[in-house]
Every structure is written in structure tokens, then in C-alpha cells.
Amino acid sequence: MTDISKPITGGRMLLSDEMIQVFYRLLAAFLICAALTILTNSFFSLGNILNVLRQASLLFFIASGLTLVVLTGGLDLSIGANVAISACIAGTVIHQTGSPTLGVLTGIGVGGAVGMLNGVMVTALRIPSFIATYGMLWVLHGITYWYMGGETMHGFPAGFRQIGSGYFLGLPIPVYLLLVFLAIGTIFAQRTTWGQEIYAIGANPVAARLSGIPVARRLLLVYTVSGAMAGLASIIFLARLNSAEADIGESLTLPAIAAVLIGGTSLFGGLGTVFGTFVGALILTLVLNGMNLLSVNASWQPLVTGVIVILAVWLDMKTRRRAA
Amino acid sequence: MTQLAQSKAAVSIVQAAPPLFELRGISKEFPGVKALDDVSFSVWPGEVHMLLGENGAGKSSLMKVLCGAYRADHGSFHYNGETVEIASPADAQKLGIAVIFQEFSLVPYLDIAQNIFLGREPAGRVPGTIDRKKILADAKRVLDSIGFDIDPAIRIEKLGVAQQQMVEIAKAISQNARILVMDEPTAALSDRETELLFALIARLKADGVAIIYISHRMAEVFSLGDRITVLRDGRRIDEVKPGAVSSDDLVRMMVGRSVDMSYPRTFAESPGKVMLEVRGLSSASGIAGIDLVVRQGEIVGLCGLVGSGRTEVVRAIFGADKATAGQILFDGQEKSGGPDEAARLGLALIPESRKAEGLALIRSVGDNLIVSALRKIFPRGFFDQGKSRQVANDLIRQLRIVTPSDKQAVGLLSGGNQQKVVIGKWLAAGAKLFIFDEPTRGIDVGAKAEIFALIDRLVADGAAALMISSEQAEICHVCDRAYVMCDGRIAGELARHELSEEKIVKLGMHHA
């Protein structure tokens, strides 16, 4: 029997489901850190922790844009290929003009344009996002391989390379960018009306449309942002590697999806947070870093990634109160 | 139609024997509704038994009980005088009962022969393969037996509705169906196709097949039926012979109720300015030349049978379906855009399917309540949780939505409270014209009265309402005026003093 005199806003009602899910993840990240500190000598060093953060930031840039797409119930499989084409074109611009600024703008612009094209396919042509972006993946690969012709671009201005490998006040530049975009992403998703509409679209696109939300425009925005974030990631990649070739970033798509899922965003849309994706990227990076430090054969990494994704999603399904 | 006349004569001889199939005292209850209440019904071989009733009278439930999709709570089934049980679709099939639904169950990518023998394909010599020659020959034989001349190797997707219906019937015959249930089989057919279907029905009758035929068309009820059973509110009202009654009698039997509904309604002295004016509206979903007007302070009903185009009209008005012709004037302003424009202008749609179209079930009551008002509450685009919860909680109090908190997932509320959330969403948005599509469907009696009180308050405060309902009694009770639809067009308009269930039913019937 329940006591009806008890206030109804007690206990877990005060914490939203999303907050609880993120809390579990932070706890998991913390436990992994603790375990690695005990198990290895090299984990708990400034150099290694900065390295983890820098790697996590790269993954986060791509995964944060993807999070918005997944929140609407879609998927963007073209992000890795988008990184490649954006990096190669931005690299060319920098080589030709010598202007890093122009290169950065080009990278983000190309990425955004590709994303917008995805958005047009999903909204105007009504192609399921999974298929539209999967097709886009191949198209971008094709263009990039043709464009690069097997060549590799080398040697960018030192100022430009700072974006990827420089430090400011002892922290890598990408970590600052990570904090900036984490803040922007969180504010956009949680604190703007557009963000709220994106959740509503993901939870029920039909109801969202009949509630007066301009669904097509919001989707177009979300795919464009996802593309632009891939463009941004391509710049940081370029600056860090100091080279570009056609298959740069090719291996990033699946880890980015993993980070989104580990971060608690539902592939069915409407549930999840950008902050969760940050923690997801952190957990994934920590685990892979730890396996390196523990000298576990690298071929185990995909298996472990897969197990974590499945576990995370399964735990979500168990802990979320079902209403649909 | 001499063939029909002959088979009618044959029926009277056969009726001395026990009926081929009989239901006695069938009841079926769902939470809150008695779908079937002590219904008895029988068919003899070679007979067409017409089943007549309004939307929600229990025809569909009866059909589902017959084919084993629902299990009856009470009552018994008798086949050739022997008691039998129908607990599953397999039981029904064994008894030779086949249902031709309005939505066909054929697989579009398989050919006619494969569909007829789906799951019963003749095995080929290599295990796991199908004997292609035999399946085609068998299919041809079945098709010939119903007089349908077509190549059984044609894929279903290439066929029209009438041909698909023939395949469904062929499939039923191939399963030795002796009792054929047809749900408005002529609804999607042309006159010529209808004639062909009637010829086939005469043929099946001559072969001794018993046919249960659900129809909304008076003409065919009389020309085709050997007996007519009228259902209303889940009960069998009467069984009559077509020669003994007029169509007015049948309408009266279908409606004939005087349920006292004490829904409050304060009618305005005189209606206000024109809020919505629709001229010659058509859309690709089959509505054409729709003219209607809704004034401030009015509740205007939109009636007609399910499938007459009511939902399509309001979807086109709201912009959810694109209009192909015509004009929509809202508050004197022409509107042509999608639902986002409609919402911005002050239109509100409360769709029939709350769960599929009205609510984001996994989101909270609060999130759902403010979703259409985001632009209004936060004109600068920055969302504030505190402000949003305040607006939501005000609405929860105002509408008396029963929920533990605004954070509760809306999917966990009762139907009536969910409906209040959908209405509240538009109150928050400041809508001026509320379009309700079956606002009381799946809602219990108490909540219904509350919903109507709410609608009454809305229009009294200067809004207007357009309301679709299949419950004629509701329309008569709360509406200032009503339009009645039939086959995608407005068949007529009834003023307040003309509103009666009989008039609505009569206008909504096909008279072709």
C-alpha cells in the first residue's frame, strides 16, 4: 500500500531520468580511472591524462553533432567520410593560400554543406537517414579518393598545427575546444526552444509536426550541424597529424556512434544528452587507453567496444521507466 | 438478377435444416466498453445475411470473434447444430470461416498462386522447394471455380482493388471456406466491379456458401440480403427480412436511442464573426469541393461514416495534407502552409489517435503541454525549465489533469487525462480554432463530460470548434450546426433545430 499523504514530488522525482543516467556514467568513468590507477603505473600521470582528454575531445566533436541527429531519431553514417573530404579540401586551401583561418572556415564549411545535403535528402526527398547518409559515405569516399589521387598532403604552417597539438596554460588546445563545444551543445539542446523541439521530434515525429513544429527545418539544421562538427574535427585532425590523405577519419564513424550509445542517447530518438555523449566518449577513450597501458593485444579493442555498447544500452533499457 | 431471385427461393427450402452456423448469446467486454452484449446470429448455407449498424455498433467486434481474433467472454458457437469452440484463428479456419477484411492480407511481392496457397504450397521434388507447375495449375482451378479469368503468375502489386478482392475470395474458397464474412466489400469498387462481385456472390450462394455481409449501402442491403440483422451499441436490435421493412425503418433501428446526455452547453445568442471559411477544398486523399464555415462561439460538427473523408478534411484544413484545390481563410487571412503555419495562426488539431499523433509518450506531461507554445513563451528562443514548469503546472491545475507531477511520462496517464494534455498544449499556444477528431474516443463517461465542459468553456471564451464525432448523439447535443459527409463530399448541412441522429445517418448513407 502506498501512503497517499506523502508528497508526490519526493525521491527520484526531483532528479530527471536523464540526470540519473548521466550520473551512472560518470560513476563508471570514475571507477575505470580508479581501477587503471591501481592496475598500472603510467595511467595516473599528467601526460597520460592529457592524452586521454585530447583523444576523447576528437571523438566528442564528431559524436556531439551526431548526438543531435540521433536525438531526432536519425543517424549520420557519413561523418567519417565527411571528415576526410573536409580535411583534404581544407588542406588544399591552406597550401594554396597559406591562410589557416581560411582553411578552418573551409573545413567547417565543407562539412556543413555535406551535412545540409544529408538534411535535404532526409527532409525533401524523404529518404531514411540511415540510407541517405550511408549512400553519402560512399559518394564522399569516391570524391575524396579521386581528388587526392593517392597523394598525401604534408606540412602545414606551425600556427595552424597549434590547433591540434598546441598547449595553453598546460592544457592541450583541443581540450579547450572540447569544453567550449560541450557548453554550446548542452545549452543548445537543453536551453533553447530549438533544442526542445529536437527532443520532441525524436520522441514522436508525427505528433511533433501536428504540434506545429517545423520538423523539416529543424532536421535540416541538425544534419548541417552534424556535418559542420565533422568539419571542425577534420581541422583538428589535420592540425594534429600535419598531413592529410583520402582515408583520414575513415575509422571514426563507428566509434562516434559507440560514444553516443554509451552516453545514453537512444537510437529511437528523444532521449539522451550531449553531456552524456561526452562521458561516453571519455569512457570509450579511457577503456582503450587502459587496454594499451595494460599491454592487451590491440585486436581485442573492437570486441571490448562492442560489449560496452551492448551493456550500456541494455542497462538503459532496464533502468528507464517505460511509458511508450 | 434472376440468378439472385432463384437462390433466394432455394434458401427457404434449406432453412428447415439447422443453420450452418450459429452464435448464441455472445458477449465481449473491453475495459470500460461492452463491445458485444448477448448477440445471437445465424446463417444458413446459400444465404446472404446482412449485418447493419453504425460505427461502433459492434460489427467489427463480431467479425473478430467469428474469425478467432477475439475470444468471446460468454456465449456459444454451433456448427450444423453441434457446439463448437472458436478460441483461435486456426479454430475458425477449421470450421471453414473466412473473413475478407477491407484491408487485404495479401503479400504484394508474391504472385496470385503463391498468395492463394501461402503456407500450404505443394512441395517440389527437392525438399524445401515449391512445385511451381502444380501451384499454378491448382490456383488456376480455384480461380476458374469463381469465374475469375486471370493468369495466376501475376504479382499482387500489379492488381487493382477489385482483383485483389477476388484473390482473397479465391484464397478463402481454396481453404474450403463455407462461411464467408465480407466487410463492406463494395466500398472501394466501381459500379462495374460491384456487378462482377454480385455475380460471384450469386454463384457462391448457389454452391451453398453462407455469406455474412457488412454494408453501409441501403441499396445493396435490400437487393442482396436474404435477412438483415441490425446491431446497435453492441446489442442485436432485430433480425428482419428485406421485404418487410423500409430503409427508414432500418435507420430508426440503427439509431433509435434516447440516451440522456447531460453535457453542459451554453449556446450563444448569436454566433460571432467568421473564424474559418473553407471554399472548394480538395486534397489527394479523396476529398473534393469542401465548403464550410465556422464562427466564433460555435461548435460545428463534422459527421459521416468512418471513411467518408472527415479526418481528411480536417487534415487538409490544418495543413497536414496538402490541398490540391480550394481556399482556406482563417480569421480573414488566407492560409496555405503546413501545420507549423496553422499553429502559428492559432489553429489547433486534436487528432483522433492521441498516442500516435497527439503526444510524445516517452516525454513528460510538462514537455508535452508546452511543445506548441515554445515560441510564444520563449520568444527569444532561450528555454527556461522553471518558466516552462510553471506554465505546465498552471495548465495541470486549470484542466484538473490527474498526474503525480509534471515530470511524469505522459504515456502513463489515463486516456482522459492524455486527451486533456493534448487540449492543454493548444491552450498554452493560445489557439483560437480547435479542431477535434473524435475527442471522446476511448475515454470513459466521466472524462467525456469533462472534455465537453472544457470545449464549451473554450467557445464561450471566444474560440471556435470544429468537431468530428461518430457519436451522433454527442453531435446533436453539443453542436450549433453540423455538416454531414459522404464519399469525400459534404452531403448536407444541418442547423441546430434540424439536428437529429436519424437525419445525420440518412445524409451519411450511400444512396447509390
Side-chain angles (χ1 to χ4, degrees), chain B residues 276-281 290-293 313 317 327-329:
Chain B
L276 175 77
E277 186 173 1
V278 175
R279 292 189 203 136
L281 184 69
I290 302 296
D291 296 311
L292 58 82
V293 169
V313 166
I317 292 174
Q327 231 186 350
I328 302 160
L329 295 167

Side-chain angles (χ1 to χ4, degrees), chain A residues 171-254:
Chain A
L171 285 176
I173 302 284
V175 174
Y176 288 101
L177 289 173
L178 166 90
L179 293 175
V180 168
F181 280 95
L182 179 57
I184 293 177
T186 301
I187 289 170
F188 177 73
Q190 314 299 330
R191 298 279 161 154
T192 68
T193 54
W194 286 6
Q196 292 299 306
E197 291 178 345
I198 284 165
Y199 279 96
I201 292 168
N204 184 345
V206 178
R209 177 164 177 263
L210 292 181
S211 297
I213 294 174
V215 174
R217 261 180 280 156
R218 296 293 174 269
L219 288 180
L220 199 61
L221 172 78
V222 157
Y223 283 91
T224 307
V225 167
S226 176
M229 288 306 288
L232 176 77
S234 82
I235 295 297
I236 291 158
F237 236 19
L238 199 63
R240 177 146 174 73
L241 297 175
N242 194 23
S243 73
E245 48 189 346
D247 61 357
I248 189 176
E250 203 167 286
S251 58
L252 283 172
T253 308
L254 294 180

Side-chain angles (χ1 to χ4, degrees), chain B residues 7 25 40 63 126 139 217 235 255 282-283 311 332 342 352 363 374 390 392 399 420 458 465 483 499 503 508:
Chain B
S7 51
S40 298
M63 210 163 55
V126 181
R217 298 185 193 228
R235 275 192 294 271
V255 176
S282 303
S283 85
T311 298
E352 178 178 5
R363 305 198 81 209
L374 284 168
Q390 192 191 327
L399 301 175
K420 287 186 193 172
L458 284 175
Y483 295 95
L499 272 176
K503 283 203 178 112

Side-chain angles (χ1 to χ4, degrees), chain B residues 41 45 54 80 91 106 127 204 206 213 231 235 252 367 393 404 449 475 483 492 503:
Chain B
F41 185 83
E54 290 182 69
N80 269 332
D91 289 346
L106 302 171
L204 293 171
Y213 191 114
L231 292 178
R235 275 192 294 271
R252 212 164 303 128
D367 288 338
N393 277 310
I475 295 272
Y483 295 95
K503 283 203 178 112

Side-chain angles (χ1 to χ4, degrees), chain B residues 21 62 83 110 134 142 172 182 202 223 232 258 279 303 350 395 444 494:
Chain B
F21 191 69
L62 187 63
T83 308
L110 295 181
K134 184 164 162 42
V142 178
M182 304 175 102
S223 68
R232 186 211 308 153
S258 53
R279 292 189 203 136
C303 333
I350 293 91
L395 283 164
D444 62 61
L494 297 168

Side-chain angles (χ1 to χ4, degrees), chain B residues 4 35 71 124 127 135 159 179-180 193 206 224 237 249 254 275 295 309 330 370 392-393 396 403 415 457 501:
Chain B
L4 267 180
R71 212 179 160 160
I135 197 172
L159 303 183
I179 301 150
L180 206 54
E193 291 165 343
L224 214 55
I237 298 308
D249 293 336
M254 287 162 66
M275 222 39 166
R295 294 186 189 84
F330 179 70
I370 55 114
N393 277 310
I396 290 172
T403 172
R457 203 162 2 121
E501 293 185 51

